[in-house]
């Protein structure tokens, strides 16, 4: 009888531990667009002055307002070299997962420092 109780408690403890592990893993696995931006080395060519993200390049392209005049579909295609801007493809193809690309683009779309005048 004592043996069964011990195994039952061990079994319940294992389940609780697994749930705790899965929960903590899902929490830490939350994707962060700004982290993807820096981890993907986007700062080699780009700055986001509005967030004090500085590039190592002398005259970087500032993306502080990129979300105001581009949409998600365009940015995703541009970052994987399926779209052009000013007749040029993006210099580097994004190498992360689709989920990381979506998270990065969602974050880029939040970068708006200027109101764009609407026509009409």
């Amino acid at each position: 009888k004592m043996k069964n109780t011990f195994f039952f408690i061990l079994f319940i403890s294992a389940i609780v531990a697994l749930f705790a592990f899965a929960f903590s893993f899902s929490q830490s696995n939350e994707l962060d667009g700004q982290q993807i931006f820096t981890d993907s080395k986007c700062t080699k060519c780009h700055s986001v002055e509005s967030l004090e993200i500085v590039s190592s390049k002398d005259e970087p392209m500032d993306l502080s307002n990129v979300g105001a005049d581009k949409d998600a579909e365009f940015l995703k295609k541009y970052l994987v070299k399926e779209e052009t801007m000013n007749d040029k493809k993006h210099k580097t193809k994004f190498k992360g997962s689709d989920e990381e690309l979506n998270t990065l683009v969602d974050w880029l779309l939040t970068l708006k420092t200027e109101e764009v005048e609407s026509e009409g």
Side-chain angles (χ1 to χ4, degrees):
K1 190 124 183 119
M2 193 69 174
K3 194 173 175 183
N4 286 351
T5 306
F6 173 74
F7 281 115
F8 178 75
I9 291 170
L10 188 66
F11 176 72
I12 297 298
S13 300
I15 289 174
V16 169
L18 282 172
F19 270 109
F21 175 75
F23 182 76
S24 68
F25 186 76
S26 71
Q27 294 299 314
S28 63
N29 208 10
E30 185 71 28
L31 292 175
D32 173 5
Q34 185 171 335
Q35 190 67 49
I36 293 168
F37 184 82
T38 52
D39 288 352
S40 300
K41 301 195 176 19
C42 303
T43 54
K44 280 189 169 187
C45 300
H46 300 288
S47 64
V48 183
E49 291 173 13
S50 61
L51 297 177
E52 297 178 5
I53 296 173
V54 194
S55 172
S56 53
K57 192 175 177 183
D58 282 346
E59 291 183 29
M61 177 177 280
D62 180 35
L63 299 180
S64 294
N65 201 40
V66 72
D69 56 7
K70 302 290 179 229
D71 66 15
E73 203 53 42
F74 174 83
L75 286 173
K76 285 177 198 173
K77 286 183 176 179
Y78 183 65
L79 290 172
V80 294
K81 295 187 168 229
E82 292 174 6
E83 187 66 75
T84 60
M85 193 183 309
N86 304 325
D87 296 323
K88 291 183 181 152
K89 292 195 182 289
H90 192 258
K91 197 171 180 180
T92 313
K93 184 174 181 179
F94 183 76
K95 293 173 182 71
S97 68
D98 287 346
E99 191 181 3
E100 289 168 328
L101 179 61
N102 290 335
T103 302
L104 174 62
V105 167
D106 287 347
W107 176 74
L108 289 169
L109 291 172
T110 67
L111 303 177
K112 297 175 187 174
T113 52
E114 300 160 21
E115 286 298 314
V116 175
E117 293 290 318
S118 60
E119 297 293 318

